[in-house]
Amino acid sequence: MPADDRPPLLLTRPQADAERFAASMPGWRCVISPILAILPVEHDAARLRDAPGLVFTSAHAVASAGAGRGRPAICVGGHTAGVAQAAGFAVTAGGGTADSLLPLIAAARVPLIHPHGRHLAKVLPVPGMVVYDQAPQPLSRTAQRLLARETPVILPVFSPRSAQLLSAQASGARAPLWLAAISAAAARAFDQPSDRCIVALAPSAEGMRAAITGLL
């Protein structure tokens, strides 16, 4: 499909994540309107700095753990692993889902702590600590105008929580909604009618790019 005929992408990830994904989609019109804002919350920073090992299910939690100093870190996927490695952690990457971390956690030789957001998709079998909140945000006027048109809009959703929040704000949209979901759980959380829906074969940025292309 010619680039001019492609439906626009409405990217609702936190700002930095949305900008990074938009940069990986050359030739696509991307409208960025975060549905969530990442806000730090008070936590026991000293406990994380002294933790022998960490589990990261989001790159947003890495900074809370202080300098890596070569400590082991089990990371959910490639991007989180890259951020943790840059912070000085000795990284082991999972397959993009919380379930893929379970055998890595079981094989760990040091005690682990899992710093995470207030809204957690899956509780892991290690002590956890809330280090940030995912505060809901209203769609921008540009995004609302996009949904009010009668031409298709592609909605990439990267988590069940963001899908749930987006579906609430997309209620009554006139635009045909084409959903690209990172997981079956994210697809189920979007409870508005969608004209097309594809679940990514892999829970990664590459998988989401393939799902978006598949919607065409």
Side-chain angles (χ1 to χ4, degrees):
M1 178 180 290
D4 290 346
D5 295 335
R6 294 173 180 170
L9 306 181
L10 178 53
L11 301 178
T12 56
R13 303 185 79 186
Q15 187 71 30
D17 295 333
E19 290 176 354
R20 185 176 64 253
F21 190 79
S24 75
M25 299 294 293
W28 292 77
R29 181 193 173 199
C30 296
V31 173
I32 295 176
S33 178
I35 204 88
L36 294 169
I38 303 299
L39 304 175
V41 301
E42 291 187 11
H43 60 275
D44 189 348
R47 184 183 174 206
L48 290 182
R49 288 196 303 268
D50 296 338
L54 284 302
V55 178
F56 296 123
T57 50
S58 169
H60 297 297
V62 174
S64 68
R69 307 189 311 274
R71 291 180 291 166
I74 297 172
C75 301
V76 70
H79 173 64
T80 302
V83 172
Q85 188 171 42
F89 289 92
V91 166
T92 301
T97 65
D99 285 338
S100 72
L101 302 182
L102 297 179
L104 302 178
I105 291 171
R109 298 184 177 182
V110 299
L112 301 169
I113 296 179
H114 176 206
H116 55 75
R118 191 177 304 281
H119 300 275
L120 188 60
K122 183 179 179 66
V123 176
L124 296 175
V126 294
M129 183 186 299
V130 175
V131 298
Y132 64 88
D133 198 0
Q134 305 108 310
Q137 302 292 302
L139 289 175
S140 68
R141 290 185 179 181
T142 300
Q144 292 173 12
R145 287 195 295 268
L146 199 66
L147 294 175
R149 302 184 337 181
E150 295 184 349
T151 52
V153 177
I154 294 178
L155 305 179
V157 290
F158 286 80
S159 72
R161 176 162 166 76
S162 61
Q164 182 183 40
L165 293 173
L166 180 57
S167 67
Q169 295 200 45
S171 176
R174 296 176 66 190
L177 304 179
W178 296 5
L179 192 71
I182 197 165
S183 65
R188 287 193 299 269
F190 189 84
D191 60 7
Q192 296 297 323
S194 57
D195 287 58
R196 301 183 187 182
C197 178
I198 290 182
V199 175
L201 294 179
S204 63
E206 293 80 4
M208 286 294 283
R209 285 192 288 270
I212 289 167
T213 302
L215 286 168
L216 301 182

